[in-house]
Amino acid sequence: MKKYLAWALIALPVLAACENEDELKDENVSGTSVEVSMKAMAGEWYVNEPDRGRPGIETLVIQENGSFVLEIENSYMDPSLQTLIVNNLKHVEGQFELEGNILRGTVSKAQSKYAVWEQGRYAGLSDWEEDTHELPDYAEVILIRNGSVMMLKSEFGMLMYFRKGAQLPNDISEIQGIWFSFEAYKAGDEKVCIAMKMDGDNIDLIVEPWCQRFICKYTYKDGIIASSGEVTFRTLWREDGCDDFDYDDPWAASWHPTYDPQQYTGNLTDGFTFPFVVDGNKAYCLFVGRSPVFIKQ
């Protein structure tokens, strides 16, 4: 089963520092940005999850008066049963208040259902149970692509939502070329953290903290990059050490096949799926629980 690389997943620890906070602070998008208002935010939003052929694992319905309903589904496809297992379902109601582009929310109701197993077999979900749900103290709202994509940026990270029924990015020509996200080890010293090269329907993805590289075909639909077919894995690690990363040209480093096919096969070799939305020379992304901003090279 492919890994869905969305905000809800916990990032692998080695990527914990790989954020683009400076890029997010001074965002000045031109052309397709929309003035933030409750009217512009009103509607049904979702987190896309194409692998299951479902509208998403999370939906957020916002009314013009600020009331909202949030539905979160935590589920997976069981390969042995060939069925979708829903671990839990959460229903949250509350009220948003907007000041400028800063959103604050309060929860008035939260309920959950949980998976029921009977003699080792999945038997569906329990009845609704009262629950709690924590919202961030505040979130900065960013609306791009003529209001079809919404980002909520908070201390929890960044959430990316797609507006239901809107025309979402499908033009593969927009994402062609080389894209870098950067990591600031210290002020004024930014280095490449993630590098992507898109050439037609071929993707070459490098994650510097992992010293790993992934090469395969991909598709781009409704703002989602999804690997297609076999993923070729390369690494800088050798059995006796690790070669240097080339920050100027990540693809020029000494990339090797794995030295241990039984144990070391890479974090994404079974496939990957992540949102990637271009706005000008930048692209917003959700990648293994992080929210890097990519810059077109």
Side-chain angles (χ1 to χ4, degrees):
M1 168 181 154
K2 292 182 180 178
K3 298 181 178 72
Y4 181 63
L5 309 180
W7 68 270
L9 300 184
I10 299 173
L12 296 177
V14 73
L15 268 181
C18 188
E19 286 279 13
N20 292 88
E21 293 298 333
D22 291 338
E23 293 292 345
L24 289 170
K25 287 178 182 176
D26 300 318
E27 197 62 30
N28 184 15
V29 178
S30 62
T32 62
S33 61
V34 171
E35 183 178 354
V36 175
S37 67
M38 200 61 74
K39 182 177 181 179
M41 294 173 59
E44 183 173 348
W45 301 87
Y46 65 96
V47 176
N48 210 340
E49 193 172 15
D51 282 343
R52 296 177 189 162
R54 301 163 68 84
I57 58 171
E58 177 169 344
T59 60
L60 174 63
V61 179
I62 304 175
Q63 304 296 332
E64 285 192 36
N65 64 5
S67 63
F68 71 88
V69 175
L70 174 67
E71 298 272 0
I72 303 173
E73 180 187 287
N74 179 7
S75 57
Y76 67 95
M77 181 63 69
D78 188 300
S80 60
L81 298 176
Q82 288 296 302
T83 187
L84 185 73
I85 304 297
V86 180
N87 281 327
N88 66 279
L89 183 66
K90 177 169 279 194
H91 175 91
V92 181
E93 299 178 14
Q95 184 73 31
F96 282 139
E97 293 184 2
L98 186 67
E99 183 176 349
N101 66 338
I102 300 302
L103 187 70
R104 292 179 171 85
T106 56
V107 173
S108 58
K109 179 181 181 180
Q111 296 177 308
S112 290
K113 290 184 177 184
Y114 299 95
V116 176
W117 294 85
E118 296 177 354
Q119 298 180 343
R121 293 188 176 186
Y122 180 64
L125 291 169
S126 66
D127 294 332
W128 287 109
E129 301 177 17
E130 295 301 313
D131 201 353
T132 60
H133 186 77
E134 183 180 2
L135 293 176
D137 292 335
Y138 67 91
E140 179 183 350
V141 182
I142 302 171
L143 293 170
I144 62 170
R145 306 291 298 209
N146 296 318
S148 64
V149 181
M150 177 172 67
M151 272 79 67
L152 301 180
K153 189 156 62 77
S154 73
E155 71 267 28
F156 290 171
M158 185 175 74
L159 316 184
M160 183 186 295
Y161 290 98
F162 297 91
R163 184 185 292 276
K164 186 174 182 179
Q167 180 64 47
L168 298 178
N170 285 299
D171 187 356
I172 197 172
S173 68
E174 288 188 341
I175 65 176
Q176 296 298 295
I178 294 174
W179 298 84
F180 287 169
S181 73
F182 295 91
E183 175 182 357
Y185 290 96
K186 58 184 179 181
D189 182 24
E190 289 189 336
K191 294 184 177 180
V192 175
C193 178
I194 306 172
M196 285 193 291
K197 182 189 296 183
M198 264 78 76
D199 181 9
D201 62 352
N202 299 295
I203 184 170
D204 198 329
L205 169 65
I206 292 174
V207 183
E208 184 273 340
W210 300 344
C211 298
Q212 294 181 7
R213 178 180 176 185
F214 310 93
I215 307 165
C216 62
K217 298 287 187 179
Y218 76 99
T219 60
Y220 186 61
K221 183 179 180 181
D222 293 340
I224 301 292
I225 289 176
S227 62
S228 176
E230 182 179 356
V231 178
T232 298
F233 171 61
R234 293 291 182 263
T235 178
L236 295 178
W237 286 100
R238 310 181 311 270
E239 192 167 6
D240 59 348
C242 186
D243 286 317
D244 292 334
F245 188 80
D246 189 327
Y247 290 97
D248 294 325
D249 183 358
W251 292 274
S254 298
W255 295 101
H256 316 286
T258 180
Y259 61 88
D260 186 354
Q262 298 301 316
Q263 297 294 328
Y264 183 51
T265 58
N267 296 326
L268 306 178
T269 49
D270 62 344
F272 48 84
T273 304
F274 54 88
F276 190 85
V277 179
V278 174
D279 196 68
N281 70 337
K282 298 182 180 181
Y284 293 93
C285 180
L286 299 177
F287 188 86
V288 287
R290 313 309 293 175
S291 49
V293 173
F294 283 83
I295 308 299
K296 182 73 174 289
Q297 301 304 298

